[in-house]
Amino acid sequence: MDEYLRIIGRKHPLFVADIISLMERLDRVVSNSAFLVIGGAGSIGSAVVKEIFKRNPLRLHVIDISENNLTELVRDIRSEFGYIDGDFRTFAIDVGSKEYDSYFEINNSFDYVLNLSALKHVRSEKDVFTLMRMIDVNIFNTIKTIKQCKEKNIKNYFCVSTDKAANPVNLMGASKRIMEMFAFNESLNSQIKISMARFANVAFSDGSLLHSFKERIAKKQPIAAPKDVKRYFLTPQESGELCLLSCIFGENGDIFFPKLDKDIHLLDFLSILRNFLAQKGIKVYECLSEDEARSKVKSLNLDNYWPCYLSISDTTGEKDYEEFFTDNEDLVMNIFESIGVIKTKINFDQKKLNIFYKNIINLKQSKNPSKKKIIDEFFKLLPKLDYEDKEKYLDAKM
């Protein structure tokens, strides 16, 4: 964690005071509870699983579509923590599948269900087919698993949201905002408690820009990053801690978010890149184009300088800053030391939600699905959605 903190410009982990003050209660609850973690082998999911595992739960089952990631998760846990007395198992199945339905019918005696599955990349909304899968994973699978929990009288459900759900400018963020609406609407007038967390980039999570820095170094390739974009960062462990704290201590309708100062913690990628390379004793060599960056790999002494192309962000769905909440959301800032809480008013328009669900299903069943029509449905449910399709996506850049 110390290495990650130095790169993202912080000296201390964020949630230490809260973890210490809640440690006795947190350990007691986890050690006496059974957990199901969906999407538990991704970067955030695996961090959550480790936070649960090290507190010796009675039962911990992990679902993920990635067989390889589950294998590495088990190796990681065994190597770092060893074994627990409780029932720890992993299942390489798709939460949207019939196999998952059969699994859950047999294994449903959980105290907590945590859904960490998500399509998290803005680039995933570029075509209608990936967009439909994003809706499946981010919205429909959440609805499905909440209803299954309600049918089996499971009392506590957590799902991860994103900072991009606050005033969304892309369809990924919009899908997570719609997920919030459906999820909290399901908890209305029922016995299930649903809580969430919104947070920003997880440093070096799979597929992230910071992760790509490591990949480019390993493959001796140039690094590319936007120079006009600022982001907040959490370490992987901090992401796991925030999710678990929200799951255990959040009330129905609560969305936890980290208390980060925009004047201190909102960092541009050039600063991150310099910190990252500095740990390797390397300096940034700024290039004026992708072609120059590729050519400099062959001519520069890579032990001293690394070719980096820093471009203006001009692709669809990119926000030049991040925010965790909107002006019309109710905040409580005095419960935790380093965590703010959004108190959601669960009063969404059931009719509009039903129409969105029905219309999206009909569009998904079409032989020639229309991306425009899907986007139109997003706007009907989120009329203030600040989305503009520039018809240019990150796949068109290095």
Side-chain angles (χ1 to χ4, degrees):
M1 181 185 282
D2 288 344
E3 175 189 0
Y4 287 170
L5 286 173
R6 286 193 294 271
I7 292 172
I8 62 178
R10 283 199 274 123
K11 294 182 178 179
H12 306 289
L14 192 59
F15 305 125
V16 172
D18 292 309
I19 292 292
I20 290 174
S21 67
L22 296 167
M23 186 177 297
E24 184 177 343
R25 291 170 58 195
L26 183 61
D27 291 352
R28 183 175 66 252
V29 170
V30 173
S31 64
N32 287 284
S33 300
F35 294 83
L36 171 63
V37 183
I38 299 166
S43 300
I44 300 171
S46 60
V48 174
V49 169
K50 287 195 276 189
E51 289 300 313
I52 297 170
F53 185 93
K54 70 185 184 184
R55 292 178 169 87
N56 201 32
L58 295 177
R59 191 180 186 202
L60 175 55
H61 285 191
V62 184
I63 302 288
D64 201 282
I65 197 172
S66 173
E67 180 186 32
N68 288 340
N69 284 0
L70 281 173
T71 299
E72 175 55 28
L73 173 65
V74 173
R75 289 170 177 161
D76 190 15
I77 283 176
R78 296 298 185 214
S79 300
E80 185 171 358
F81 303 112
Y83 298 81
I84 57 173
D85 297 328
D87 173 26
F88 172 61
R89 282 187 278 172
T90 65
F91 301 84
I93 52 180
D94 183 349
V95 71
S97 68
K98 292 181 180 179
E99 289 76 20
Y100 173 81
D101 295 342
S102 298
Y103 158 83
F104 192 79
E105 187 63 31
I106 297 168
N107 300 274
N108 54 53
S109 57
F110 296 103
D111 299 294
Y112 297 90
V113 172
L114 298 91
N115 183 2
L116 284 302
S117 64
L119 259 69
K120 63 179 184 178
H121 287 286
V122 175
R123 69 175 71 228
S124 294
E125 62 190 49
K126 64 185 183 300
D127 64 88
V128 65
F129 307 104
T130 316
L131 176 58
M132 287 192 296
R133 181 165 180 263
M134 179 186 287
I135 293 169
D136 270 345
V137 174
N138 291 359
I139 302 174
F140 288 174
N141 285 352
T142 302
I143 298 169
K144 167 188 170 177
T145 52
I146 290 173
K147 288 182 175 179
Q148 288 174 324
C149 288
K150 288 170 68 174
E151 290 170 0
K152 300 301 180 182
N153 295 314
I154 294 172
K155 306 298 184 185
N156 303 283
Y157 185 97
F158 169 88
C159 50
V160 66
S161 187
T162 172
D163 60 289
K164 294 177 177 62
N167 294 318
V169 301
N170 51 58
L171 301 180
M172 190 281 286
S175 73
K176 281 295 192 176
R177 176 56 187 151
I178 293 170
M179 178 205 76
E180 293 177 357
M181 296 165 69
F182 272 102
F184 288 140
N185 196 64
E186 283 291 336
S187 68
L188 184 65
N189 299 322
S190 69
Q191 298 301 309
I192 191 168
K193 182 207 79 176
I194 297 177
S195 61
M196 300 188 192
R198 287 181 188 165
F199 48 86
N201 296 262
V202 177
F204 298 96
S205 61
D206 288 350
S208 68
L209 192 52
L210 271 62
H211 179 260
S212 81
F213 293 173
K214 294 173 66 175
E215 292 293 301
R216 303 289 73 73
I217 293 288
K219 296 176 181 178
K220 290 186 167 47
Q221 296 172 341
I223 292 174
K227 62 182 177 182
D228 57 343
V229 170
K230 293 185 176 182
R231 293 288 183 260
Y232 291 111
F233 291 91
L234 295 185
T235 67
Q237 181 174 332
E238 289 170 342
S239 74
E241 291 170 343
L242 183 62
C243 290
L244 185 58
L245 290 172
S246 175
C247 174
I248 301 297
F249 300 110
E251 297 180 347
N252 192 32
D254 280 0
I255 303 176
F256 282 29
F257 64 90
K259 291 181 184 176
L260 292 171
D261 189 322
K262 66 179 181 180
D263 295 324
I264 300 173
H265 301 122
L266 198 58
L267 298 179
D268 61 84
F269 279 106
L270 179 56
S271 298
I272 297 287
L273 181 54
R274 282 174 174 157
N275 293 343
F276 170 73
L277 291 177
Q279 290 201 351
K280 302 178 182 300
I282 304 171
K283 294 182 179 180
V284 170
Y285 184 95
E286 287 196 48
C287 300
L288 298 178
S289 69
E290 290 186 2
D291 286 339
E292 182 189 0
R294 281 187 286 266
S295 68
K296 288 296 182 182
V297 169
K298 301 174 183 177
S299 61
L300 282 176
N301 181 348
L302 299 183
D303 291 331
N304 296 322
Y305 292 94
W306 206 271
C308 302
Y309 174 55
L310 299 157
S311 62
I312 298 294
S313 178
D314 59 355
T315 53
T316 299
E318 287 299 321
K319 204 172 187 177
D320 58 1
Y321 64 95
E322 288 178 327
E323 54 192 334
F324 297 111
F325 50 85
T326 63
D327 292 338
N328 60 355
E329 290 179 315
D330 293 335
L331 307 182
V332 178
M333 303 296 283
N334 58 2
I335 301 176
F336 304 100
E337 180 73 23
S338 300
I339 300 169
V341 181
I342 300 167
K343 292 288 184 179
T344 304
K345 300 172 183 176
I346 307 174
N347 57 356
F348 304 113
D349 190 322
Q350 181 68 61
K351 183 178 179 180
K352 287 185 177 180
L353 292 174
N354 291 342
I355 291 172
F356 174 88
Y357 188 93
K358 178 182 177 181
N359 289 347
I360 293 293
I361 290 292
N362 289 337
L363 288 168
K364 281 170 56 63
Q365 293 173 346
S366 170
K367 293 182 179 180
N368 186 21
S370 165
K371 181 179 177 181
K372 182 182 182 305
K373 289 182 179 180
I374 293 176
I375 294 172
D376 288 344
E377 295 303 322
F378 273 64
F379 273 100
K380 289 177 187 177
L381 201 54
L382 301 174
K384 295 183 180 180
L385 173 61
D386 188 19
Y387 173 79
E388 177 190 358
D389 191 348
K390 300 178 182 177
E391 298 185 353
K392 185 174 183 179
Y393 295 89
L394 288 169
D395 281 0
K397 306 182 78 169
M398 189 167 72

